[in-house]
Amino acid sequence: MHVTEAVLSRRSVRSFRPDAVPVEVLRGVLEKAQRAPSGGNVQPWNAHVLAGEPLARLVASVAEVIPQGRSAHSPEYAIYPPELDGAYEARRYGVGEAMYAALGIGREDKRGRLGQFMNNFRAFGAPALMLVHTPRYMGPPQWSDIGMWLQTVMLLLREEGLDSCAQEAWAVYQKQVRACVAIPDDHVFFCGLAIGYRDAQAEVNRFDVPRAPLAEAVVFDGF
Ligand SMILES: Cc1cc2nc3c(=O)[nH]c(=O)nc-3n(C[C@H](O)[C@H](O)[C@H](O)COP(=O)(O)O)c2cc1C
């Protein structure tokens, strides 16, 4: 598979087949992803990968507190800046609307929307979930390094015929995550990465997620 094919065939998959992912495959992907670049070669990423019983335990422990609503949320960082506005906010809103439209869930259907969102906390049915953390003192440059590593992982997964969905949503249940996996207290829990094989028929995996035209993001000068 060429890099272009991996990039273009990657999408956030929100409905997985139950087929297990061989641990040797995941190990191979993560071994290669260690080659991801990072400022000063700090390699600030740390992760636990869950499957089977440990993953079922995490899903069950979060399911227990979901009925408490927001009072059970305890994110350790702002998932989106409160200032998010303009094109950035429109894109965030747009992907949600595109997804709900594909699922036939209308704007007024708060229950339907919440139900779809709550699928996050089953890792969308994925058989494996990676939980990513980093020391609290790491700053924006190191968080950006973690992003590079995550994308490297996601692209290498494509090469193995695997799919993924990065999931910041788990951050709101970091207490439950910490109760299930040993994340050091002086580390911040960043996100999950659901991993498995996509259900190619599921509408939630088929809608288009547009991107801004290149000119909105990049300026070329001196060519
Ligand atoms: C760090 C990160 C966290 C994300 N968290 C979530 C999440 O919690 N739930 C979700 O459904 N999608 C999540 N996404 C997926 C984004 O919504 C998605 O990448 C974006 O809309 C672009 O769509 P695409 O990945 O299908 O190309 C996350 C993506 C990234 C990079």
Side-chain angles (χ1 to χ4, degrees):
M1 181 181 273
H2 291 122
V3 178
T4 298
E5 196 183 340
V7 170
L8 296 183
S9 68
R10 187 213 57 82
R11 61 170 296 138
S12 293
V13 163
R14 298 185 179 87
S15 176
F16 290 87
R17 303 204 313 260
D19 312 52
V21 181
V23 71
E24 314 81 64
V25 173
L26 287 183
R27 214 181 272 286
V29 162
L30 292 168
E31 195 81 61
K32 285 183 232 171
Q34 286 296 100
R35 300 301 310 173
S38 54
N41 200 25
V42 166
Q43 304 166 59
W45 47 85
N46 295 271
H48 287 249
V49 190
L50 305 184
E53 186 53 33
L55 175 54
R57 266 205 306 276
L58 172 62
V59 169
S61 81
V62 169
E64 229 169 78
V65 298
I66 281 176
Q68 296 169 23
R70 282 177 186 276
S71 66
H73 293 183
S74 57
E76 294 176 296
Y77 66 94
I79 293 180
Y80 299 104
E83 299 87 354
L84 200 69
D85 66 359
Y88 301 114
E89 174 60 9
R91 293 170 194 159
R92 178 189 169 195
Y93 178 79
V95 65
E97 288 308 311
M99 181 178 73
Y100 293 126
L103 293 171
I105 301 174
R107 206 158 285 178
E108 306 310 316
D109 186 358
K110 297 267 188 289
R111 237 159 178 256
R113 289 185 169 214
L114 190 63
Q116 170 57 30
F117 178 71
M118 287 304 162
N119 285 336
N120 267 291
F121 306 112
R122 299 185 309 101
F124 300 114
L129 175 67
M130 184 163 78
L131 300 162
V132 180
H133 57 98
T134 194
R136 289 184 194 281
Y137 58 71
M138 295 294 181
Q142 291 74 42
W143 281 59
S144 127
D145 295 338
I146 295 172
M148 291 191 213
W149 168 75
L150 270 173
Q151 170 74 331
T152 305
V153 172
M154 292 192 275
L155 297 182
L156 288 165
L157 288 170
R158 286 305 303 129
E159 197 181 53
E160 298 293 341
L162 282 158
D163 293 290
S164 60
C165 185
Q167 294 187 277
E168 285 158 339
W170 286 102
V172 306
Y173 292 119
Q174 55 86 19
K175 272 191 199 152
Q176 287 69 26
V177 169
R178 287 173 187 281
C180 288
V181 294
I183 295 175
D185 287 345
D186 58 354
H187 281 208
V188 58
F189 168 61
F190 170 33
C191 70
L193 185 73
I195 301 171
Y197 301 93
R198 79 177 72 180
D199 173 353
Q201 306 311 317
E203 292 300 334
V204 77
N205 292 337
R206 292 159 60 94
F207 69 95
D208 183 43
V209 184
R211 295 299 199 269
L214 184 60
E216 270 186 41
V218 179
V219 174
F220 292 90
D221 215 352
F223 286 88

